[in-house]
Amino acid sequence: MSLLLDGIGLLVTNDTGLGEAALGVLRDAALVCEGGRVAWVGSAATAPAADRRIDAGGRCVIPGFVDSHTHLVFAGDRAEEFAARMAGRPYSAGGIANTVAATRAASDVELAGHAAKLATEALQAGTTTIEVKSGYGLTVADEERSLRVAATLTGETTFLGAHVVPPEYAGRPDDYVTLVAGEMLDACAPHAKWADVFCDRGAFDADQARTVLQAARAHGLGLRVHANQLAPGPGVRLAVDLGAASADHCTHLSDDDVQALVGSATVVTLLPGAEFSTGSAYPDARRLLDAGITVALASDCNPGSSYTTNLPFCIAVAVREMGLTPEEALWSATAGGARALRRDDIGRLSQGARADAVILDAPTYVHLAYRPGVPLVHIVLRGAETVIING
Amino acid sequence: MSLLLDGIGLLVTNDTGLGEAALGVLRDAALVCEGGRVAWVGSAATAPAADRRIDAGGRCVIPGFVDSHTHLVFAGDRAEEFAARMAGRPYSAGGIANTVAATRAASDVELAGHAAKLATEALQAGTTTIEVKSGYGLTVADEERSLRVAATLTGETTFLGAHVVPPEYAGRPDDYVTLVAGEMLDACAPHAKWADVFCDRGAFDADQARTVLQAARAHGLGLRVHANQLAPGPGVRLAVDLGAASADHCTHLSDDDVQALVGSATVVTLLPGAEFSTGSAYPDARRLLDAGITVALASDCNPGSSYTTNLPFCIAVAVREMGLTPEEALWSATAGGARALRRDDIGRLSQGARADAVILDAPTYVHLAYRPGVPLVHIVLRGAETVIING
C-alpha cells in the first residue's frame, strides 16, 4: 500500500543532493512512501500516483525528529526539587537518588506505563525515533528491568548502570563499577544497543568510566558518554579516545576538548532542556559548528534536570541561547540525532529512508523557533503508520 | 444545568480566604459550576451533587489563563525577519510596517479567520480570557475593521492606532497623532474597551502618547501603555500619571519608574515571549515583586516580536529568566492578568467567579514550568462551555 504526500509547500529532505542548502529544501514537492520507506521524492508536478494520498495543504514537511538522548524509564517526579532550585538552589547529580528510590519501588506495570506515556507524548510532538536509557535502577535486576521496558519502546536502548553510585555503595564507587562492568553488564547487554557513562563531577571519573565503557564494547555495545555537563573534565576526551558515537551535554569545554572533537567519530549532543531547567549557562554551539564538529540536539527527558519530551521547544531554546540558526537547529534535531545514533536510514527524507515525517501546521520550519511553545505538529508519519495529531 | 468537577488533587483558587498561601490552594477538592459561574468550592468529601460530573482524576486544576496583552489581528508573518534577527540583527519597531502592509491588503475573511485561528490556539493552551489590540491597520478604516474583528473574539478589545507612525505619515508624526486622537478614535471607540499607545524609542514620545490617551479617556476608554520595552523613557511614569490599568513590557526601568509604580493603580505586565524572541535581556520581575508591585504575565502574541499564544511557555520562561517562582508566575498569568484588565470575575476560582478553569495533565501547577514545551492542558472549561482538548 503506497502513500502519496503532496501539496508540500516546503520539504526538508536533509539530502543536499536533492535540494537547496544544508537542509536539501524542495518547494512545491511531493513524497511517495511504500512499505514504510520513502520510495520517491520530487516536484509535486511530476509525482507518481499511489494507493492513498494526503494533501499537506502547502504546509512544511520535515523528517521526524530523532531524539538521541532520553531517560524515559523512571517513576516519581521531582517538581518540589525543581521549585526549590528555581528559588536559588543549584542542580547536583545527587537528586538522582530520589528517582532511583521511586523507580525501584515501582511495579513493572507502573514503570512501563509511565515510559509509554512519555514516548507517546514525544511522538505527538514529532519524535519518530527515540533513544531510551536505563540508569534509575542501579541494581542488576532493576537495570535489566529498565532496559526490558525501554526495549518495548525503541530499538535504541542504552545501558546506563554508571549513572550515579547508588546509596548502598556510598564510599565504595570502585565496587559499584566492578558490579556495573561485570554482573550488571552481563544481565543488561542482551537488551541494550548502547552503553553510556556519566563521567562528571559527582558521578564517575575517567578511569571508572573507561572500565565500564571498555567492558561494554567487549559485549558488542556501542558507546556514548555523558560528558562535561557540570564541570570541565575528561569525559569528552575519553569519548573521542574510545570512538564513542556521542559525547552528550558538553556544557564545559576546553579548547583541547574542542580540538579533540574535530575530525573525530564523536558527535556532540547538546541538551538545551537541561540548561533551561537547571538555570545553568548554555554551551556555545556556534563554537562547535564553526570548528566543523557535528552537533545533535536532544531532549534529555528526565525528571531531575530536563522534564521535557518536546524537540520543538529544544530547537527554540537552542536558537535563542546556543547560537544555532533555525536551519542548523532543525538539522541537529533530525540528521544530527541520526548521526549520534550512527543511523543513515532516519533523519532524512530521500529514497530508501524510513518514511518518518512530520507535517507542520506552518509554512516553514523556521516557525519551530519563531512560534515557541505553540504545538505545530499537524500529522506524524512513522514508517507504515499514520498518526494523526490535529485532524 | 450544573457541573461537578471533582477528584481535584490540587485546586488553585487564587483566593487566599479559601486555601493555602497566595494561590489559595486546596487539596482533594471539588468545584460546582452553574450558569457559567462557580457556585461552590470546597473539599471533595462534602461536595454537593450536580447534573453532570467530570472526574479530574487527581489532577491539578487552575483558573483559566488571562492573557491581557495580544495583537491577534494581522495578516502575513515575519519568519524571515525572525531568522535574520537570530543571525544577529536586533529588533526594531520598524518591522511593524511590514505587517501593516499585509494587514491592509488582507480581506475581511482572511483577517477574521486568522485571528480566530490564533484565539482557538490560545484557548487550547488554557487561555480563557484574551485581550486583543488593533494596531496593524493605522488608517481609520483599517483600525475600525481590526477592532470589529477583535470584538468577535473577546470583550477585551484595545484601540492601538498609536502603534507606530505609518509610512504615509513619515516625518509628520504629529499629524498622525491628530488623526489617531480625532477621527480614528471617533470611529474606533465604539468597538473598543481600552486604548493603548506604544510610548518608546522609534514609536511615540510622551506628549504624543498623552494626547492620544487623554482623548481616549474622554471617549470612556480605559488606558494601557506599551512602555519602556526598547529603551528607558517616560512611558511608565505616563501610565502611572494617567492611572492606566497596565504598563506593558517594562524591560528598561529606572529606580524612579519603580518608585512611581509602588502603590499606583497600574499593573506591570511582563511579556517574556518578547525578550525570548528578540534576544533581548529580560526584565527583573523580582525587583518589582519585592517592591510590592502587581505583576501580570501575558503573551504579547504578534508576528514580529513574540509569535506565541502559549502562556505555559511564558510561565516557564518567566521562571527561568525573570526570577518569578512557579507560584508567582501562575498567579501573574491568571489573577495578575485579571488585575491588568481590572476584572474581579476572572483569574480566580471561588464563588461567583466565571467558571473558567483548566484541568492540567499534571499533579501540580509547578509542572507548567517543570515540563517546558509539553502541552499539559487536559480539559478547558470556559463559562458554560466544556472544551475537551485531550480526551
Side-chain angles (χ1 to χ4, degrees):
Chain A
M1 180 105 141
S2 59
L3 168 68
L4 168 64
L5 176 57
D6 68 358
I8 305 175
L10 204 71
L11 174 64
V12 173
T13 67
N14 281 342
D15 185 328
T16 53
L18 274 180
E20 301 163 29
L23 297 183
V25 169
L26 296 172
R27 286 160 212 277
D28 301 319
L31 195 70
V32 176
C33 310
E34 190 147 17
R37 297 271 165 177
V38 176
W40 185 91
V41 182
S43 163
T46 60
D51 303 323
R52 281 171 63 215
R53 176 173 172 262
I54 295 177
D55 180 355
R59 293 180 176 84
C60 179
V61 174
I62 61 174
F65 298 118
V66 179
D67 190 348
S68 62
H69 183 139
T70 83
H71 306 252
L72 295 193
V73 187
F74 63 87
D77 79 35
R78 281 150 64 192
E80 287 182 24
E81 176 188 323
F82 171 82
R85 185 164 70 240
M86 289 300 117
R89 204 171 70 194
Y91 177 68
S92 78
I96 293 173
N98 298 327
T99 299
V100 170
T103 302
R104 289 175 179 176
S107 71
D108 291 3
V109 168
E110 284 166 351
L111 209 56
H114 189 243
K117 185 177 176 191
L118 291 171
T120 300
E121 186 181 279
L123 178 62
Q124 288 175 332
T127 296
T128 49
T129 302
I130 195 161
E131 183 259 21
V132 178
K133 302 177 197 295
S134 70
Y136 294 114
L138 309 188
T139 65
V140 174
D142 285 308
E143 285 296 298
E144 186 192 357
R145 176 169 81 135
S146 295
L147 285 162
R148 285 185 188 276
V149 168
T152 65
L153 304 174
T154 183
E156 301 292 346
T157 55
T158 300
F159 169 51
L160 179 59
H163 196 187
V164 291
V165 176
E168 62 273 19
Y169 280 87
R172 299 186 292 131
D174 288 339
D175 290 351
Y176 183 63
V177 168
T178 300
L179 176 72
V180 171
E183 188 188 347
M184 194 184 284
L185 179 62
D186 291 340
C188 289
H191 313 292
K193 181 172 174 184
W194 304 94
D196 193 347
V197 173
F198 192 4
C199 179
D200 215 323
R201 184 182 67 196
F204 296 91
D205 68 22
D207 288 343
Q208 294 163 343
R210 185 182 293 271
T211 298
V212 172
L213 292 167
Q214 286 180 328
R217 185 159 62 187
H219 277 73
L221 303 187
L223 306 185
R224 330 183 63 74
V225 183
H226 275 66
N228 303 49
Q229 175 188 5
L230 304 176
V236 165
R237 275 159 291 164
L238 180 69
V240 171
D241 190 35
L242 294 176
S246 181
D248 296 48
H249 287 290
C250 298
T251 311
H252 299 274
L253 294 186
S254 68
D255 289 345
D256 284 352
D257 293 329
V258 173
Q259 278 315 307
L261 287 160
V262 173
S264 77
T266 303
V267 170
V268 170
T269 300
L270 299 179
L271 306 161
E275 280 84 28
F276 186 91
S277 293
T278 59
S280 312
Y282 292 91
D284 179 4
R286 197 74 264 142
R287 175 188 186 197
L288 299 168
L289 290 172
D290 290 348
I293 294 163
T294 301
V295 171
L297 277 180
S299 73
D300 193 19
C301 182
N302 80 82
S305 59
S306 181
Y307 199 1
T308 186
T309 49
N310 196 275
L311 280 179
F313 170 77
C314 296
I315 286 171
V317 173
V319 168
R320 171 61 165 80
E321 302 290 354
M322 291 179 166
L324 291 166
T325 64
E327 289 75 5
E328 289 166 339
L330 176 61
W331 190 93
S332 292
T334 53
R339 297 257 184 113
L341 295 172
R342 296 204 169 149
R343 296 272 297 269
D344 63 7
D345 60 330
I346 55 175
R348 65 180 170 97
L349 289 172
S350 52
Q351 216 179 325
R354 281 179 54 92
D356 294 349
V358 177
I359 306 177
L360 296 177
D361 198 6
T364 81
Y365 56 84
V366 173
H367 287 67
L368 292 166
Y370 173 48
R371 306 215 59 211
V374 177
L376 291 180
V377 170
H378 182 58
I379 292 176
V380 180
L381 305 178
R382 187 169 61 172
E385 306 166 64
T386 306
V387 186
I388 298 190
I389 305 298
N390 293 306
Chain B
M1 179 106 142
S2 59
L3 169 69
L4 168 64
L5 177 58
D6 68 358
I8 305 175
L10 204 71
L11 174 64
V12 174
T13 67
N14 280 343
D15 185 328
T16 54
L18 274 179
E20 301 163 28
L23 297 183
V25 169
L26 296 172
R27 286 158 212 280
D28 301 320
L31 194 69
V32 176
C33 309
E34 191 149 13
R37 297 271 165 177
V38 176
W40 184 92
V41 182
S43 163
T46 60
D51 303 324
R52 281 172 63 216
R53 175 172 173 264
I54 295 177
D55 181 354
R59 293 180 176 84
C60 180
V61 174
I62 62 174
F65 298 119
V66 179
D67 190 348
S68 61
H69 183 139
T70 82
H71 306 251
L72 295 194
V73 186
F74 62 88
D77 78 35
R78 281 149 64 191
E80 286 182 24
E81 176 187 323
F82 171 82
R85 186 164 69 239
M86 290 298 119
R89 201 172 72 193
Y91 177 68
S92 78
I96 293 173
N98 298 327
T99 299
V100 171
T103 301
R104 290 176 178 176
S107 71
D108 291 2
V109 167
E110 285 166 351
L111 208 56
H114 190 242
K117 185 176 178 193
L118 291 172
T120 300
E121 186 182 279
L123 179 63
Q124 289 175 332
T127 296
T128 49
T129 302
I130 195 162
E131 182 259 18
V132 178
K133 301 176 199 296
S134 68
Y136 294 115
L138 308 188
T139 65
V140 173
D142 285 309
E143 283 295 298
E144 186 191 357
R145 176 168 81 134
S146 295
L147 284 163
R148 286 184 188 275
V149 168
T152 65
L153 305 173
T154 183
E156 302 292 347
T157 54
T158 300
F159 169 51
L160 180 59
H163 196 187
V164 290
V165 176
E168 61 273 20
Y169 281 85
R172 297 185 294 132
D174 289 339
D175 290 350
Y176 184 63
V177 168
T178 301
L179 176 72
V180 171
E183 188 189 348
M184 194 184 284
L185 180 61
D186 291 341
C188 290
H191 312 293
K193 181 173 174 184
W194 303 95
D196 193 347
V197 174
F198 191 4
C199 179
D200 215 323
R201 186 182 66 196
F204 296 92
D205 68 22
D207 288 342
Q208 293 163 343
R210 186 183 292 271
T211 298
V212 172
L213 292 168
Q214 285 180 330
R217 185 159 61 186
H219 277 74
L221 303 186
L223 306 184
R224 330 184 64 76
V225 183
H226 275 66
N228 303 50
Q229 175 187 5
L230 303 176
V236 165
R237 276 159 291 165
L238 180 68
V240 171
D241 190 34
L242 294 176
S246 181
D248 297 47
H249 286 291
C250 297
T251 310
H252 299 275
L253 294 186
S254 69
D255 289 345
D256 284 352
D257 292 330
V258 173
Q259 278 315 306
L261 287 160
V262 173
S264 77
T266 303
V267 171
V268 170
T269 301
L270 299 179
L271 306 160
E275 280 83 28
F276 187 91
S277 293
T278 59
S280 312
Y282 292 92
D284 179 5
R286 197 75 262 142
R287 177 188 184 197
L288 299 169
L289 291 172
D290 290 348
I293 294 163
T294 301
V295 171
L297 277 179
S299 72
D300 194 18
C301 182
N302 80 81
S305 59
S306 182
Y307 200 2
T308 186
T309 50
N310 197 276
L311 279 178
F313 170 77
C314 295
I315 287 172
V317 174
V319 168
R320 172 61 165 79
E321 303 291 354
M322 291 181 167
L324 291 167
T325 65
E327 289 77 3
E328 289 166 339
L330 176 60
W331 190 93
S332 292
T334 52
R339 296 257 184 115
L341 295 172
R342 298 208 169 145
R343 295 272 298 269
D344 64 5
D345 61 329
I346 54 176
R348 65 180 170 96
L349 288 172
S350 51
Q351 217 180 324
R354 280 179 55 92
D356 293 349
V358 177
I359 306 177
L360 296 177
D361 200 6
T364 80
Y365 57 83
V366 173
H367 286 67
L368 292 166
Y370 174 46
R371 305 215 60 211
V374 177
L376 291 180
V377 170
H378 182 58
I379 292 177
V380 180
L381 305 180
R382 187 169 61 171
E385 306 165 63
T386 307
V387 187
I388 297 190
I389 305 298
N390 294 305

